[in-house]
């Protein structure tokens, strides 16, 4: 029993001695840490590819700045920054008065990156002509050219560009001025008219003025170094011509030159169908309607001839939309 008590006593003595030692170690460590904290502070050494760039006390904040720069850059048209190697951080102790250099580190990292820009090119055909900063500016250029009815609007578009080089931007007004082309006016043996390039809804249906025994001999468009404003429908002399649609006859006359000879359309008829839509029937040998007369669709109005500037019996058919000539084959034949 005595031996047991002696053993227990020795254990307590050992524990007490151990506690004293632990307490002394803790006190010593606290004193050492206190002394170190007075003269030193935790700092991170920042290195890139093994080269120390400097020191920072807040690696999280520094890395956030680097990440933000990579995603947004500092220029308005930077899409992203490609930085191949990112910095590494190592904890160390440095004197409290030792300087850190976050901005120098950040500048060095920025210089190691490659910028990729995003902007918009104004394209004519397949050629990039001008550059603007934003999509809104590009859309504005297109809308301004549309409102001015530029004749080349169908060739104008915009596309987003990504690249390492930032192009020089041009003001939208300057781009519109440079790209704008007046609606084309054509001149031929008949007269001068604007061209309606696109097919539009006329709001009426048309029928063929000559529905049998005909041959298309000349189509709308370029011909003999000029522009043919209508469709030539060859048929035997005297073949009936009917109204392509109902309307009011606004012209039924002969086009003659100063000497009184046939010129241009020769004997011709114009019918107005409302909403700026007109049809013209040229080179007639006979006209059976008069100006101001209302005609029904399919009503007989004239006969095929070769009056005016014509090389043989045919009907010269034109469709006009608000004064601009359109390709008749967009609507019939």
């Amino acid at each position: 029993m005595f031996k047991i008590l002696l053993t227990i006593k020795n254990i307590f003595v050992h524990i007490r001695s151990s506690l004293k030692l632990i307490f002394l170690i803790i006190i010593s460590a606290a004193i050492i840490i206190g002394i170190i904290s007075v003269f030193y502070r935790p700092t991170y050494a920042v290195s890139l590819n093994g080269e120390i760039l400097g020191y920072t006390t807040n690696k999280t904040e520094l890395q956030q700045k680097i990440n933000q720069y990579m995603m947004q850059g500092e220029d308005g048209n930077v899409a992203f920054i490609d930085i191949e190697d990112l910095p590494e951080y190592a904890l160390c102790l440095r004197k409290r008065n030792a300087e850190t250099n976050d901005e120098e580190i950040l500048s060095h990292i920025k210089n190691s990156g490659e910028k990729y820009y995003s902007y918009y090119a104004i394209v004519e055909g397949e050629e990039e002509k001008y550059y603007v900063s934003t999509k809104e500016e590009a859309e504005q250029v297109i809308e301004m050219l549309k409102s001015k009815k530029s004749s080349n609007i169908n060739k104008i578009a915009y596309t987003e560009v990504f690249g390492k080089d930032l192009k020089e931007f041009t003001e939208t007004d300057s781009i519109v001025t440079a790209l704008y082309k007046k609606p084309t006016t054509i001149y031929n043996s008949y007269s001068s008219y604007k061209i309606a390039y696109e097919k539009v809804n006329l709001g009426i249906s048309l029928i063929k003025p000559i529905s049998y025994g005909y041959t298309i001999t000349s189509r709308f468009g370029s011909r003999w170094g000029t522009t043919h404003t209508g469709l030539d429908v060859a048929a035997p002399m005297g073949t009936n011509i009917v109204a392509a649609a109902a309307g009011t006859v606004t012209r039924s006359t002969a086009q003659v030159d100063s000497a009184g000879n046939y010129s241009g359309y020769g004997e011709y008829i114009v019918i107005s169908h409302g909403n700026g839509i007109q049809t013209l029937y040229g080179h007639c040998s006979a006209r059976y309607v008069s100006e101001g007369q209302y005609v029904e669709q399919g009503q007989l109005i004239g006969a095929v001839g070769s009056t005016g500037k014509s090389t043989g019996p045919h009907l010269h058919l034109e469709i006009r939309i608000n004064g601009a000539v359109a390709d008749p084959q967009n609507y019939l034949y």
Side-chain angles (χ1 to χ4, degrees), residues 186 188 190 193 195 216-223 227-233 265 280 282-283 314-320 325-329 332-333:
I186 59 172
N188 60 16
Y190 305 128
Y193 291 101
I195 299 177
I216 304 299
T217 56
S218 185
R219 302 181 188 279
F220 180 91
S222 179
R223 185 182 72 169
T227 301
H228 186 223
T229 57
L231 181 70
D232 286 351
V233 185
Y265 296 117
L280 179 145
H283 308 309
H314 72 281
L315 165 67
H316 174 83
L317 173 65
E318 285 187 11
I319 295 176
R320 299 175 182 175
V325 291
D327 186 351
Q329 289 192 283
L332 41 71
Y333 288 106

Side-chain angles (χ1 to χ4, degrees), residues 113-184:
E114 192 166 32
K115 294 181 180 180
Y116 286 83
Y117 296 95
S118 170
Y119 48 96
Y120 290 84
I122 307 299
V123 180
E124 183 174 17
E126 297 182 356
E127 182 183 358
E128 294 181 1
K129 303 287 286 188
Y130 301 96
Y131 302 94
V132 293
S133 175
T134 65
K135 181 179 180 180
E136 289 72 22
E137 290 176 290
E139 290 176 339
Q140 184 181 10
V141 169
I142 302 299
E143 289 304 315
M144 291 174 70
L145 287 170
K146 282 183 179 179
S147 67
K148 292 168 70 70
K149 301 186 186 302
S150 181
S151 64
N152 61 343
I153 187 60
N154 291 335
K155 297 180 180 179
I156 306 298
Y158 67 86
T159 182
E160 189 172 10
V161 177
F162 288 95
K164 297 179 182 179
D165 299 321
L166 185 61
K167 301 290 186 179
E168 182 178 352
F169 297 146
T170 305
E171 294 290 334
T172 55
D173 288 341
S174 299
I175 296 174
V176 171
T177 300
L179 291 179
Y180 172 73
K181 292 182 180 179
K182 293 182 179 180
T184 304

Side-chain angles (χ1 to χ4, degrees), residues 239-307:
T239 300
N240 288 339
I241 301 171
V242 301
T248 301
V249 178
T250 53
R251 297 297 299 271
S252 179
T253 186
Q255 190 175 61
V256 296
D257 60 22
S258 59
N261 300 313
Y262 282 126
S263 64
Y265 296 117
E267 301 278 342
Y268 73 104
I269 300 165
V270 178
I271 301 176
S272 294
H273 308 286
N275 296 322
I277 309 301
Q278 292 181 316
T279 51
L280 179 145
Y281 311 81
H283 308 309
C284 300
S285 61
R287 293 174 283 110
Y288 305 133
V289 292
S290 57
E291 294 178 4
Q293 179 181 344
Y294 182 82
V295 295
E296 299 288 350
Q297 186 177 53
Q299 181 175 331
L300 179 63
I301 60 171
V304 170
S306 189
T307 58

Side-chain angles (χ1 to χ4, degrees), residues 69 71-81 115-118 166:
Y69 175 73
M71 290 186 294
Q72 300 177 358
E74 296 174 331
D75 302 324
N77 289 92
V78 172
F80 62 91
I81 312 292
K115 294 181 180 180
Y116 286 83
Y117 296 95
S118 170
L166 185 61

